[in-house]
Amino acid sequence: MGDCYNCRYCKDSLHGKKYILRENNQYCIKCYENLYSNTCEDCKAPIGSNCKDLSYKDHHWHEQCFKCAKCGHPLAEKPFAAKDDNLLCMECYSDEYSSKCFNCKKTIMPGSRKMEYKGNSWHETCFACERCQQPIGIKPFIPKENANYCVPCYEKQFAHHCSSCKKAITTGGVTYHDLPWHRECFLCTGCKMQLTGQHFTSRDDFPYCLDCFRNLFSKKCVACSQAIAGFGSSKYVSFEDRQWHNDCFNCNKCAISLVGQGFLSKRDAVLCPECGRDV
């Protein structure tokens, strides 16, 4: 039984002494600490068997050495964060590295929900509508002058309302006679075609596409019965409350053009002087 109570490493007798059992072998305290104790990351001394060994990612500390690298407060049994091989309490980590709320200017603690928009951050409860003060969350919102608004509040406070459907215009829109319209609501009074981006004219302050205006209001050519537009470079001849397209103002008998020429009128017909003598 001589070796049964000896230190496995130095062979000293363990009778009446404290020892540590490891893998069914007993060691005196000194040998165990020399062979197996971890080195403290802070003080670089061995972590003895009578001390708590606190570890994080294969690194070890004495309990009293496991502390915040900035403020020195103990971290045992407290939440902490690691940054560049340093351990920091949550307060120091937040002050140093966490985002500040754009609204209340306080730190947004790690792990808490935050909202981000155009490089700024908010606490979830601070990201609220400027008008109703309700948190916006994931709902649609509209930014204006460093403030954010939920859509209903923005429409009530800022948006123009369409002259046609009376609903708020939140983006784009068309102005006609100093009145706002949704692009999709600005329609021809006659055929209801959308007029945005199209040529149009008006009558009695109502907008019309060019085709409808011609058909509804333009004078009709006596010869072809088609509308005489009266827009742009359109040319026509008018005589005794009757109108002709330039190309249609021809002698009713020989069809020669009468534009810029003398002519005779016989009842509803117009004739060149030559044909007029024969009638």
Side-chain angles (χ1 to χ4, degrees):
M1 296 182 59
D3 289 340
C4 291
Y5 291 95
N6 295 342
C7 172
R8 178 74 174 80
Y9 187 74
C10 70
K11 307 303 181 183
D12 284 352
S13 174
L14 297 176
H15 284 286
K17 298 179 181 179
K18 289 182 178 181
Y19 66 91
I20 298 173
L21 193 65
R22 182 185 173 95
E23 297 176 356
N24 295 323
N25 294 311
Q26 63 269 12
Y27 296 86
C28 67
I29 300 300
K30 182 178 179 181
C31 287
Y32 181 86
E33 290 181 349
N34 288 337
L35 290 170
Y36 300 113
S37 291
N38 295 307
T39 300
C40 177
E41 288 291 324
D42 184 47
C43 69
K44 308 306 179 185
I47 301 173
S49 59
N50 61 338
C51 299
K52 282 187 177 181
D53 184 338
L54 303 182
S55 64
Y56 174 71
K57 289 188 175 180
D58 296 326
H59 297 294
H60 299 264
W61 291 263
H62 293 101
E63 183 177 16
Q64 66 273 18
C65 295
F66 194 64
K67 57 191 177 183
C68 175
K70 186 175 181 183
C71 69
H73 287 172
L75 296 178
E77 299 181 2
K78 292 184 178 181
F80 64 90
K83 182 71 174 178
D84 301 329
D85 295 329
N86 290 320
L87 301 181
L88 298 169
C89 65
M90 298 309 293
E91 289 77 9
C92 289
Y93 182 87
S94 298
D95 289 342
E96 191 76 20
Y97 301 108
S98 292
S99 304
K100 300 293 189 295
C101 177
F102 186 78
N103 183 36
C104 70
K105 312 305 179 185
K106 294 180 180 178
T107 298
I108 301 174
M109 298 297 289
S112 62
R113 296 189 65 178
K114 68 177 180 179
M115 311 299 292
E116 295 181 324
Y117 177 68
K118 287 191 174 181
N120 295 318
S121 301
W122 289 260
H123 293 105
E124 185 179 24
T125 54
C126 289
F127 191 63
C129 172
E130 184 76 10
R131 188 171 187 267
C132 69
Q133 296 301 308
Q134 293 300 308
I136 293 172
I138 60 173
K139 294 182 292 187
F141 69 95
I142 301 173
K144 183 178 178 64
E145 298 174 356
N146 292 325
N148 300 304
Y149 296 83
C150 65
V151 174
C153 284
Y154 183 89
E155 291 179 351
K156 290 176 183 176
Q157 186 157 340
F158 299 110
H160 295 294
H161 288 75
C162 177
S163 297
S164 175
C165 70
K166 310 305 178 185
K167 294 181 180 179
I169 301 172
T170 55
T171 58
V174 176
T175 300
Y176 174 68
H177 282 333
D178 295 326
L179 296 174
W181 309 66
H182 289 111
R183 295 171 66 88
E184 60 272 18
C185 291
F186 188 57
L187 307 176
C188 170
T189 306
C191 66
K192 306 305 179 185
M193 178 183 75
Q194 188 170 309
L195 294 178
T196 304
Q198 307 294 324
H199 292 294
F200 68 93
T201 186
S202 65
R203 174 92 171 213
D204 299 327
D205 291 335
F206 292 101
Y208 292 88
C209 69
L210 300 188
D211 286 342
C212 282
F213 188 87
R214 291 188 186 103
N215 292 332
L216 292 170
F217 304 112
S218 293
K219 298 179 184 301
K220 302 296 190 295
C221 175
V222 172
C224 70
S225 299
Q226 298 298 311
I228 298 174
F231 301 118
S233 59
S234 297
K235 295 181 179 179
Y236 65 97
V237 176
S238 180
F239 175 71
E240 292 183 349
D241 296 325
R242 292 183 292 167
Q243 288 78 31
W244 292 260
H245 293 107
N246 267 19
D247 292 341
C248 294
F249 190 55
N250 302 321
C251 174
N252 288 130
K253 188 173 182 180
C254 70
I256 190 173
S257 174
L258 299 179
V259 176
Q261 307 297 322
F263 65 91
L264 300 173
S265 176
K266 298 288 186 177
R267 293 184 292 278
D268 292 334
V270 288
L271 303 167
C272 66
E274 186 71 24
C275 291
R277 285 196 293 268
D278 297 337
V279 175

